[in-house]
Amino acid sequence: MLRTRRGRDENGKAALSVLMGQWRRLLELRSQPAVRDGGLAAARIALAWLFIYHGAGTLFGAFHGAGIHGMAAFFATVAHLHPGTFFAVLNGITEFFGAIAVGIGLLSRLAAAGLFFDMVIAMVTVTFRNGIVSEAAGSGYELNVALAGLALVVVLLGAGRLSVDAWIGGILTKRASRRPEPLAPPAP
């Protein structure tokens, strides 16, 4: 069966119309609060997973990590941050406890800001000179950029409704709404 140019144009317009309809539905789905909260929870869990792993390695030597003394030597020699022990402890606390806070959504914007700056400092002091993807000893800064971007999402958007922050906010809102109105001063 031979098709005319007009028939092909009509089929193309129909396909484009279907594609645009799918795109509109996707944009509508994106604006639903449940989808937003699910996306934020996924970002928080991914951040928590990776940073708990690294923070535990720094603080406790877990997961074959270097521990405080090994990281102190790394910070002093490679990152040129002195005193190395102070920065190793600060890094471990920021990563481990900040990740737990982000994961459960407790003070999540503050904790995520700490993780964001942790990655910025890692880029500036260690990985930036290796390039985005490094074949040399050490790594590039691609993972730092990805983790900093995820942390920035939590800083800007908050933890969402699936968090301890939202739960505490709900309790405080209920308490504030139950308070009686103050009595009006007597009329003169």
Side-chain angles (χ1 to χ4, degrees):
M1 177 168 145
L2 295 172
R3 293 187 183 211
T4 63
R5 180 173 176 86
R6 182 178 188 100
R8 281 185 277 174
D9 288 345
E10 289 173 6
N11 286 341
K13 288 179 185 177
L16 184 60
S17 175
V18 169
L19 185 62
M20 292 305 291
Q22 293 293 331
W23 181 252
R24 274 189 225 107
R25 277 195 285 274
L26 181 64
L27 290 178
E28 289 170 7
L29 180 69
R30 182 184 69 172
S31 65
Q32 293 179 2
V35 174
R36 178 184 178 274
D37 293 331
L40 286 171
R44 288 186 3 247
I45 290 168
L47 276 172
W49 185 349
L50 294 172
F51 278 108
I52 286 172
Y53 177 86
H54 284 279
T58 299
L59 287 177
F60 314 118
F63 311 115
H64 307 288
I68 294 289
H69 297 294
M71 289 305 293
F74 174 82
F75 279 115
T77 58
V78 176
H80 305 292
L81 296 172
H82 299 282
T85 304
F86 169 77
F87 284 103
V89 171
L90 181 64
N91 173 263
I93 289 172
T94 300
E95 289 184 352
F96 187 74
F97 294 106
I100 291 172
V102 166
I104 64 173
L106 178 63
L107 301 173
S108 53
R109 288 180 191 238
L110 180 64
L115 298 177
F116 173 79
F117 286 112
D118 182 56
M119 289 296 96
V120 169
I121 291 169
M123 284 187 276
V124 169
T125 60
V126 178
T127 60
F128 194 76
R129 66 177 154 253
N130 296 337
I132 192 158
V133 178
S134 177
E135 293 180 16
S139 63
Y141 61 89
E142 74 277 5
L143 182 61
N144 300 118
V145 169
L147 292 174
L150 269 178
L152 193 58
V153 166
V154 177
V155 169
L156 296 175
L157 299 179
R161 294 182 298 175
L162 303 173
S163 65
V164 174
D165 285 344
W167 179 66
I168 292 172
I171 290 172
L172 295 176
T173 302
K174 286 179 186 174
R175 283 188 183 168
S177 66
R178 285 189 280 181
R179 288 190 183 156
E181 292 294 321
L183 296 174

